[in-house]
Amino acid sequence: MTLLAGKRVLVTGAARGIGRACSLCFSRLGADVIAVDLSAGDLEALAAEAPGSIESWVGDVTSSELHDRINRLGAHVRQAAETLSRALGAEARAAAG
């Protein structure tokens, strides 16, 4: 199915659980998926299973380096990065509060 053909989707927590399910679903629907997770090995397994495009980014969503990379993506392809799926159970701010 190509419902999301030409769309880019950024999924955090992408290699396991709900994030993995979202990544695979978006891929099946034709989206180009940017999968972010801490585990390179799990991201490799995800990419091998996905029927479509998976770009793997290894990183911690609480790190400023990953935030900068995501911000550059947004600035560079503002209209292309149309969907953001936050599949983490909790964000760093919620844990700190």
Side-chain angles (χ1 to χ4, degrees):
M1 181 179 283
T2 59
L3 182 66
L4 297 177
K7 306 293 184 188
R8 293 186 85 185
V9 179
L10 176 69
V11 181
T12 60
R16 285 163 273 148
I18 293 169
R20 181 180 181 81
C22 289
S23 297
L24 291 171
C25 182
F26 285 133
S27 179
R28 284 186 198 105
L29 293 173
D32 295 323
V33 178
I34 300 169
V36 181
D37 202 277
L38 289 171
S39 172
D42 289 343
L43 285 171
E44 287 177 22
L46 171 68
E49 183 180 340
S53 170
I54 298 277
E55 180 180 340
S56 298
W57 288 8
V58 177
D60 181 346
V61 295
T62 65
S63 74
S64 60
E65 294 85 10
L66 187 60
H67 285 202
D68 291 344
R69 188 171 183 189
I70 291 169
N71 286 336
R72 283 193 305 273
L73 171 76
H76 180 66
V77 287
R78 188 172 306 275
Q79 293 180 355
E82 295 176 11
T83 305
L84 172 63
S85 174
R86 292 180 185 238
L88 291 176
E91 293 186 10
R93 289 185 207 176

